[in-house]
Amino acid sequence: MKLGSPFRPRLLSALLFSIFLGSAPATPAQERGELRIATSYKLMTLDPQYANLNENTSLLSHIYERLVYQDDNLELKPGLATSWRPLSDTQWAFKLRDKVRFHDGSAFDADDVVYTIERIRDFLNPPSGGFRSYVSGIKSVSAPDPLTVLIETDGAVPNLPLFFSSLFVMNRPSEGVETTEDLNAGHPPNGTGPYRFESWSSGESLRLARNDDYWGGKPAWSKVTFRVIENPAARVAALSTGEVDVADAIPARDVASLKQRGARVASVGAARVNFVQFDVARDTLPGVTDKSGEPIANPFKNPLVRRALTLATDRGILVDKILAGYGTAAAQVFPNGLPGTSANLLPEAPNYDEAKMLLAKAGFPDGFNLVLAGPAGRYPGDAESLQAVAQSWARIGVNAQPAAAPFSVFNTKRAAGDYGVWYGGTSGEAVDIILHTLLASPDPERGTGALNFGKYRNEAFDAMLARAESIAVGPERNAALAQATELVMADQPIIPLYHFHHIVGYGSRIGSYVLHPRGWTTAMQTLPAME
């Protein structure tokens, strides 16, 4: 099984601080006017704190910044905070960067951080929980001086700085709290980032202008335009014809032809997982029937059925054929070797005979019918993966009808409970973040299970995860997370499929493109070609 290899431009390693935090400072010879990017990311909202989705994280990072950021090794680096330290098990102090200004000219200070935390924790109520889980454990936040933030938590939160690597800081308004509706209706986004907001057409484009007063140095591009092109073939075509300078989420099958046409390609292994998820809570499920089309009791409540479908899934085809080697077969939420992963969890080859035996033991000797839902065009190989999984499951008598839809449609229907089993994907800052949101029991007060649409519950796993999260970052915490992962994966609430590789193509106006394992697409990762 071809694993591929991450692309790391060594030439630019000294610039990673400026590229991933804000923008690489430009020289006059580098400035090239407008940067045109074709992106698969459809910006859902201009509220940077509403939805924890990669499209918002990626695109709004031009306008807003975080206290802490993760470099390309997922290590924490100073952002709007220059340092942080625990004062006790439940108290933290963050020191802030001086002489930073928002786009409207107002000074950034500790009161803006207080507002950011309180707005997410106390005022926003997005359908999937948004970023609330990152701040739900914060008991109080205060600003003893303009450049110091003191945080008190309800209990020990040893990875609190990691949480802040996901939260964009907003400017406190003169009165009240800005609502999501206000921001989407025309209140100009006001951040500290390297680019200023110009215009947004939902589902079509985002236009930005350079922030010449950016504290991190003058950005490389005077203008940036993101064109939303959800169809992968259309993105490839736009890059091939020179309509855009950069195109993200390039299908692996198109890499060779792009190179033949003069484009260059960068890739990196993704800190994420794509998976099949089961609804294990309801008694009956939409689209799940016996072979005659009659509704049946929810088969996914039985771990033997989940195990059988896992054994009937051929990950090798997904990685080798559909991803053309630009991916890694998955057995857990992050690729093996990253902090918190288990060396004992390895992808299994399909075993159809054993899978049939398990189905028969569970009471389904003839299999059953189901609708296998998923997004189309959001992830590399998503629609094709649905087809491949369906073909594998057919070999044990489970007839799966693939149902691919645009992500906005799929996401709405999934949240509404219209599916019984589906293909999905998620990324996160660390293993525990994904375990916390994807597999922990749904609990709005604790902020767990925001992406646990299958309503899976496992008290033993919840307890092991809570223990791991109480340990300071380091080897002991990683070992505890690995043990918790082994426990939950043995129950198969999801079928991990693969960790795909991010692939970006770029044209002659681009000197280099530095990919990040989180999969962001930004102007800050894009350096102009030198004349």
Coordinates of all heavy atoms in Angstrom, one line a residue, residues 327-373:
G327 N -2.5 8.9 0.4 CA -3.2 8.7 1.6 C -2.6 7.5 2.4 O -1.8 6.8 1.9
T328 N -3.1 7.3 3.6 CA -2.7 6.2 4.5 C -3.9 5.6 5.1 O -4.8 6.2 5.6 CB -1.8 6.8 5.6 OG1 -0.8 7.6 5.1 CG2 -1.2 5.7 6.5
A329 N -4.0 4.2 5.0 CA -5.1 3.5 5.6 C -5.1 3.8 7.1 O -4.1 3.9 7.8 CB -4.9 2.0 5.3
A330 N -6.3 3.9 7.6 CA -6.5 4.3 9.0 C -7.1 3.2 9.9 O -7.9 2.4 9.5 CB -7.5 5.5 9.1
A331 N -6.6 3.2 11.1 CA -7.2 2.3 12.2 C -7.5 3.1 13.4 O -8.0 2.6 14.4 CB -6.2 1.2 12.5
Q332 N -7.2 4.4 13.4 CA -7.5 5.3 14.5 C -7.7 6.7 14.0 O -7.6 6.9 12.8 CB -6.5 5.2 15.6 CG -5.0 5.4 15.1 CD -4.0 5.0 16.1 OE1 -4.1 5.4 17.3 NE2 -3.0 4.2 15.7
V333 N -7.8 7.7 14.9 CA -8.2 9.1 14.4 C -7.0 9.9 13.8 O -7.3 10.8 13.1 CB -8.9 9.9 15.5 CG1 -10.2 9.2 15.9 CG2 -8.0 10.1 16.7
F334 N -5.8 9.6 14.2 CA -4.6 10.3 13.6 C -3.7 9.2 13.0 O -3.7 8.1 13.5 CB -3.9 11.1 14.7 CG -4.2 12.5 14.7 CD1 -5.3 13.0 14.1 CD2 -3.4 13.4 15.5 CE1 -5.6 14.4 14.1 CE2 -3.7 14.8 15.5 CZ -4.8 15.3 14.8
P335 N -2.9 9.6 12.1 CA -1.9 8.6 11.6 C -0.9 8.1 12.7 O -0.6 8.9 13.6 CB -1.1 9.5 10.5 CG -2.0 10.6 10.1 CD -2.8 10.9 11.4
N336 N -0.5 6.9 12.6 CA 0.4 6.3 13.6 C 1.6 7.1 13.7 O 2.2 7.6 12.8 CB 0.8 4.9 13.1 CG -0.3 3.9 13.4 OD1 -1.5 4.2 13.6 ND2 0.1 2.6 13.5
G337 N 2.1 7.3 15.0 CA 3.3 8.0 15.3 C 3.1 9.3 15.8 O 4.0 9.9 16.5
L338 N 1.9 10.0 15.6 CA 1.7 11.3 16.1 C 1.3 11.1 17.6 O 0.9 10.1 18.1 CB 0.5 12.0 15.4 CG 0.8 12.4 14.0 CD1 -0.4 13.1 13.3 CD2 2.0 13.4 14.0
P339 N 1.5 12.2 18.4 CA 1.3 12.1 19.9 C -0.1 11.6 20.2 O -1.1 12.1 19.6 CB 1.5 13.5 20.3 CG 2.5 14.1 19.3 CD 2.1 13.5 18.0
G340 N -0.3 10.6 21.0 CA -1.6 10.1 21.5 C -2.1 9.0 20.7 O -3.1 8.4 21.0
T341 N -1.4 8.5 19.6 CA -1.8 7.4 18.8 C -1.3 6.1 19.4 O -0.3 6.1 20.2 CB -1.3 7.5 17.4 OG1 0.1 7.6 17.3 CG2 -2.0 8.7 16.7
S342 N -1.9 5.0 19.0 CA -1.5 3.7 19.6 C -0.8 2.9 18.5 O -1.3 2.7 17.4 CB -2.8 2.9 20.0 OG -2.4 1.5 20.2
A343 N 0.4 2.4 18.9 CA 1.2 1.5 17.9 C 0.5 0.2 17.7 O 0.9 -0.6 16.8 CB 2.6 1.4 18.5
N344 N -0.5 -0.2 18.6 CA -1.1 -1.5 18.5 C -2.3 -1.5 17.5 O -2.8 -2.5 17.2 CB -1.7 -1.9 19.9 CG -0.5 -2.0 20.9 OD1 0.5 -2.5 20.6 ND2 -0.8 -1.6 22.1
L345 N -2.7 -0.3 17.1 CA -3.8 -0.2 16.2 C -3.3 -0.1 14.7 O -2.8 1.0 14.4 CB -4.7 1.0 16.5 CG -5.5 0.8 17.9 CD1 -6.3 2.1 18.2 CD2 -6.5 -0.4 17.8
L346 N -3.5 -1.1 13.9 CA -3.0 -1.1 12.6 C -4.2 -1.5 11.7 O -5.1 -2.3 12.0 CB -1.9 -2.1 12.4 CG -0.7 -1.9 13.2 CD1 0.3 -3.1 13.1 CD2 0.0 -0.6 12.9
P347 N -4.3 -1.0 10.4 CA -5.3 -1.3 9.5 C -5.4 -2.8 9.2 O -4.3 -3.4 9.0 CB -5.0 -0.5 8.3 CG -4.1 0.6 8.7 CD -3.3 0.0 9.9
E348 N -6.6 -3.4 9.1 CA -6.7 -4.8 8.8 C -7.1 -5.0 7.4 O -7.8 -4.2 6.8 CB -7.8 -5.4 9.7 CG -7.6 -5.3 11.2 CD -8.7 -5.9 12.0 OE1 -9.7 -5.1 12.2 OE2 -8.7 -7.1 12.3
A349 N -6.6 -6.1 6.8 CA -7.1 -6.5 5.5 C -8.5 -7.0 5.6 O -8.9 -7.5 6.6 CB -6.1 -7.5 4.9
P350 N -9.3 -6.9 4.5 CA -10.7 -7.4 4.6 C -10.7 -8.9 4.8 O -9.8 -9.6 4.3 CB -11.3 -7.0 3.3 CG -10.1 -6.8 2.4 CD -9.0 -6.3 3.2
N351 N -11.7 -9.4 5.6 CA -11.9 -10.8 5.8 C -13.4 -11.0 5.6 O -14.2 -11.0 6.6 CB -11.4 -11.2 7.2 CG -11.5 -12.7 7.4 OD1 -12.3 -13.4 6.8 ND2 -10.6 -13.2 8.2
Y352 N -13.8 -11.3 4.4 CA -15.2 -11.4 4.1 C -15.9 -12.7 4.7 O -17.0 -12.6 5.1 CB -15.4 -11.4 2.6 CG -14.9 -10.2 1.9 CD1 -13.7 -10.2 1.2 CD2 -15.6 -8.9 2.1 CE1 -13.3 -9.0 0.6 CE2 -15.1 -7.8 1.5 CZ -13.9 -7.8 0.8 OH -13.4 -6.7 0.2
D353 N -15.1 -13.7 4.8 CA -15.7 -15.0 5.4 C -16.0 -14.7 6.9 O -17.1 -15.1 7.4 CB -14.7 -16.1 5.3 CG -14.6 -16.6 3.8 OD1 -15.5 -16.3 3.0 OD2 -13.5 -17.2 3.5
E354 N -15.1 -14.1 7.6 CA -15.4 -13.9 9.0 C -16.5 -12.8 9.2 O -17.3 -12.9 10.1 CB -14.1 -13.4 9.7 CG -14.3 -13.2 11.2 CD -13.0 -12.7 12.0 OE1 -11.9 -12.8 11.4 OE2 -13.1 -12.3 13.1
A355 N -16.5 -11.9 8.3 CA -17.6 -10.9 8.3 C -19.0 -11.5 8.1 O -19.9 -11.2 8.9 CB -17.3 -9.8 7.3
K356 N -19.1 -12.4 7.2 CA -20.3 -13.1 7.0 C -20.7 -13.9 8.2 O -21.9 -14.0 8.6 CB -20.2 -14.1 5.8 CG -20.2 -13.4 4.4 CD -20.1 -14.4 3.3 CE -20.0 -13.8 2.0 NZ -19.8 -14.8 0.9
M357 N -19.8 -14.6 8.9 CA -20.1 -15.3 10.1 C -20.6 -14.4 11.2 O -21.5 -14.8 11.9 CB -18.8 -16.1 10.6 CG -18.4 -17.2 9.6 SD -16.8 -17.9 10.1 CE -17.2 -18.4 11.8
L358 N -20.0 -13.2 11.3 CA -20.4 -12.3 12.4 C -21.8 -11.8 12.1 O -22.7 -11.7 13.0 CB -19.5 -11.2 12.5 CG -18.1 -11.5 13.0 CD1 -17.2 -10.3 12.9 CD2 -18.2 -11.9 14.5
L359 N -22.1 -11.5 10.8 CA -23.5 -11.1 10.5 C -24.5 -12.2 10.8 O -25.6 -11.9 11.3 CB -23.5 -10.7 9.0 CG -23.2 -9.3 8.5 CD1 -23.6 -9.2 7.0 CD2 -24.0 -8.3 9.3
A360 N -24.2 -13.4 10.5 CA -25.1 -14.5 10.7 C -25.3 -14.6 12.2 O -26.4 -14.8 12.7 CB -24.6 -15.8 10.1
K361 N -24.2 -14.5 13.0 CA -24.3 -14.6 14.5 C -25.2 -13.5 15.0 O -25.9 -13.7 16.1 CB -22.9 -14.6 15.1 CG -22.9 -14.9 16.6 CD -21.4 -14.9 17.0 CE -21.4 -15.2 18.5 NZ -20.0 -15.3 19.0
A362 N -25.2 -12.3 14.4 CA -26.0 -11.2 14.8 C -27.4 -11.3 14.4 O -28.2 -10.4 14.8 CB -25.3 -9.9 14.3
G363 N -27.7 -12.3 13.6 CA -29.1 -12.5 13.2 C -29.4 -12.0 11.8 O -30.6 -11.8 11.4
F364 N -28.4 -11.7 11.0 CA -28.6 -11.2 9.6 C -27.8 -12.1 8.6 O -26.9 -11.7 7.9 CB -28.1 -9.8 9.5 CG -28.8 -8.8 10.4 CD1 -28.2 -8.5 11.6 CD2 -30.0 -8.3 10.0 CE1 -28.8 -7.6 12.5 CE2 -30.6 -7.4 10.9 CZ -30.1 -7.0 12.1
P365 N -28.2 -13.4 8.5 CA -27.4 -14.3 7.6 C -27.6 -13.9 6.2 O -26.7 -14.2 5.4 CB -28.1 -15.7 7.9 CG -29.5 -15.3 8.4 CD -29.3 -14.1 9.2
D366 N -28.7 -13.2 5.8 CA -28.8 -12.8 4.4 C -28.5 -11.3 4.2 O -28.7 -10.8 3.1 CB -30.3 -13.0 4.0 CG -30.7 -14.5 4.1 OD1 -29.9 -15.3 3.7 OD2 -31.8 -14.7 4.5
G367 N -28.0 -10.7 5.3 CA -27.6 -9.3 5.2 C -28.8 -8.4 5.2 O -29.9 -8.8 5.7
F368 N -28.7 -7.2 4.8 CA -29.8 -6.2 4.8 C -29.5 -5.1 3.8 O -28.4 -5.1 3.2 CB -30.1 -5.7 6.2 CG -28.8 -5.1 6.9 CD1 -28.4 -3.8 6.8 CD2 -28.1 -6.0 7.7 CE1 -27.3 -3.4 7.4 CE2 -27.0 -5.5 8.4 CZ -26.6 -4.2 8.2
N369 N -30.4 -4.1 3.6 CA -30.2 -3.0 2.8 C -30.0 -1.7 3.6 O -30.5 -1.6 4.7 CB -31.5 -2.8 1.9 CG -31.8 -3.9 1.0 OD1 -30.9 -4.7 0.6 ND2 -33.0 -4.1 0.6
L370 N -29.2 -0.8 3.0 CA -29.0 0.5 3.7 C -28.7 1.6 2.6 O -28.3 1.3 1.5 CB -28.0 0.4 4.7 CG -26.5 0.0 4.3 CD1 -25.7 1.2 3.8 CD2 -25.8 -0.6 5.5
V371 N -28.9 2.8 3.0 CA -28.4 4.0 2.3 C -27.2 4.5 2.9 O -27.2 4.8 4.1 CB -29.5 5.1 2.2 CG1 -29.0 6.3 1.6 CG2 -30.8 4.6 1.5
L372 N -26.1 4.5 2.2 CA -24.8 5.0 2.7 C -24.6 6.5 2.2 O -24.4 6.7 1.0 CB -23.7 4.1 2.2 CG -22.3 4.5 2.6 CD1 -22.1 4.6 4.2 CD2 -21.2 3.6 2.1
A373 N -24.8 7.4 3.1 CA -24.8 8.8 2.7 C -23.4 9.4 2.8 O -22.5 8.8 3.5 CB -25.7 9.6 3.6

